[in-house]
Amino acid sequence: MKRIALLGLVCFALSGYGDDSSCKVTNDFLVGKWDCTNKEYKSEYDSKFEEYSDYSELSSSQIIQSYKVVNGVLLSKTGDKESVEVNLDKFYNN
């Protein structure tokens, strides 16, 4: 009986509570410098075979994306560009 109760408790703990808010990224998670790679791929449709070709890489670029909280506002800056305000609530509501 103890084993069944323990198994049930472990299953409950592993399944989580079902609250979607625990999966949201917050401002604090983003703070810091992020090394990002932007890759663009292309695939073409072959009408004779009725299938797409394998993807091929068209371009690749490396950027440093920085996030910082100033006066309670999350700011994002890429390279030498001016920093912009990021509103995560607006992102999640879309």
Side-chain angles (χ1 to χ4, degrees), residues 3-75:
R3 289 182 185 174
I4 294 173
L6 182 61
L7 180 63
L9 183 61
V10 169
C11 291
F12 177 73
L14 292 177
S15 67
Y17 302 126
D19 185 12
D20 291 336
S21 65
S22 64
C23 298
K24 284 187 175 181
V25 174
T26 63
N27 292 349
D28 295 333
F29 288 138
L30 291 176
V31 172
K33 289 187 178 183
W34 293 76
D35 186 11
C36 304
T37 304
N38 183 21
K39 293 185 179 186
E40 185 176 351
Y41 293 91
K42 179 182 178 182
S43 177
E44 294 183 1
Y45 184 74
D46 186 347
S47 59
K48 291 181 182 177
F49 282 119
E50 296 183 349
E51 65 183 14
Y52 285 95
S53 65
D54 290 337
Y55 287 98
S56 59
E57 187 175 313
L58 291 178
S59 64
S60 177
S61 61
Q62 191 96 11
I63 60 169
I64 302 292
Q65 185 84 23
S66 299
Y67 292 94
K68 187 175 184 179
V69 176
V70 178
N71 296 329
V73 177
L74 181 65
L75 299 175

